Amino acid sequence: RMALMCKGGSRSNLFYNNYVHSRERTIQNAFGIGGLSNNTSIWGGTKDFWEAFNVYVFNNVVVADNPGKVTYGISFMGARDSGAFNNIFVGCDYGVQYRVPDDMSYGWEWNPTNLNIIFKNNVVMDSVEGACIYVDGDPINLDSDYNLYYNNAGTDPVEPNSIYNQDPRFVASKSDWNLMADSPLKGAGTPISGLVGLSGEGFFAGFDKNYILRGDTWDIGVYDVDGTQSYDPGGIIFNE
């Protein structure tokens, strides 16, 4: 029911360059940042702690072949100082969910509200129920902007620099997310920088799904049109 999930006090994680594709079976959360954790199986404590700290999700694609076979493209459930950017969510029930988890029913002393969440440079399209949903409380200090919302049921979020009701002009929305020459996504994003882990270590996310460095002007979505210089993130990569 989950594709990728971190909870129980998970911290300082990067999820990037993945492809989540549901043909038949229903996926509840393609990406779950936080969740419901028992008070005996968490890192930290049960008061003034969160399910997830400093978790960043970028350059990922989530596609439901049949509408609604992915319930939530990404869910923030009791996350702090985390974000999602330059992702594409196609055909989910909801592109993004912000939920306050009922952790008190699992022995916590409080229910952690999402705090300091970034949602930028994403495409949310063909959502069956709506682009986003808030459950049991709005996030505190949500920074959501520079997204594209297209062909979603319900009412899209109101954001000053986001794009509405324009086809993103992918080569193919369910299989090839390179941008056509007339795509409104070109140059419509905003640079993402200053990402840090829980201990203050710096994270770099200025590259696209092909490991090409993004320049001063960012495109919305997973690919950078004008970049030419490749980037090696190093380390062990679990993706693709």
Side-chain angles (χ1 to χ4, degrees):
R1 64 190 181 95
M2 307 284 184
L4 294 166
M5 187 175 194
C6 59
K7 62 177 185 174
S10 295
R11 56 225 179 261
S12 305
N13 295 321
L14 304 179
F15 296 105
Y16 60 91
N17 291 25
N18 297 284
Y19 173 44
V20 179
H21 183 196
S22 176
R23 293 185 176 89
E24 298 296 336
R25 299 188 64 180
T26 300
I27 298 173
Q28 182 179 5
N29 289 298
F31 291 91
I33 312 305
L36 289 168
S37 300
N38 192 286
N39 68 331
T40 61
S41 58
I42 61 171
W43 172 84
T46 58
K47 176 65 175 176
D48 295 331
F49 270 78
W50 279 259
E51 289 276 0
F53 302 80
N54 304 79
V55 177
Y56 305 105
V57 179
F58 58 100
N59 295 345
N60 302 287
V61 179
V62 178
V63 173
D65 260 358
N66 296 313
K69 282 298 181 181
V70 177
T71 307
Y72 305 110
I74 185 168
S75 291
F76 293 96
M77 297 175 286
R80 193 191 84 180
D81 300 329
S82 299
F85 33 90
N86 290 99
N87 303 288
I88 298 171
F89 305 102
V90 182
C92 306
D93 274 350
Y94 296 95
V96 56
Q97 173 189 214
Y98 302 98
R99 178 183 290 269
V100 179
D102 184 17
D103 279 340
M104 293 181 70
S105 66
Y106 286 79
W108 289 47
E109 297 175 67
W110 78 320
N111 295 326
T113 299
N114 291 301
L115 174 65
N116 301 335
I117 303 300
I118 302 169
F119 191 78
K120 291 185 175 181
N121 300 345
N122 301 290
V123 174
V124 181
M125 61 183 294
D126 301 336
S127 300
V128 177
E129 299 292 339
C132 71
I133 185 172
Y134 305 88
V135 181
D136 296 331
D138 294 345
I140 298 172
N141 196 28
L142 173 65
D143 186 5
S144 184
D145 204 358
Y146 294 93
N147 302 296
L148 180 140
Y149 299 99
Y150 176 66
N151 195 37
N152 300 304
T155 302
D156 292 329
V158 177
E159 299 164 353
N161 297 293
S162 290
I163 300 171
Y164 299 90
N165 302 318
Q166 292 189 48
D167 189 323
R169 301 291 288 158
F170 295 126
V171 173
S173 64
K174 291 187 177 181
S175 60
D176 186 344
W177 305 279
N178 285 287
L179 306 183
M180 300 180 73
D182 59 347
S183 172
L185 303 182
K186 290 183 177 181
T190 186
I192 303 294
S193 61
L195 303 179
V196 296
L198 185 61
S199 299
E201 66 275 30
F203 291 141
F204 179 69
F207 57 93
D208 76 357
K209 200 172 187 301
N210 284 332
Y211 298 98
I212 300 297
L213 286 173
R214 298 181 185 270
D216 294 333
T217 301
W218 284 37
D219 301 328
I220 294 174
V222 297
Y223 293 125
D224 184 87
V225 172
D226 299 322
T228 58
Q229 184 179 353
S230 62
Y231 173 75
D232 180 4
I236 299 174
I237 301 172
F238 298 96
N239 62 14
E240 297 296 344

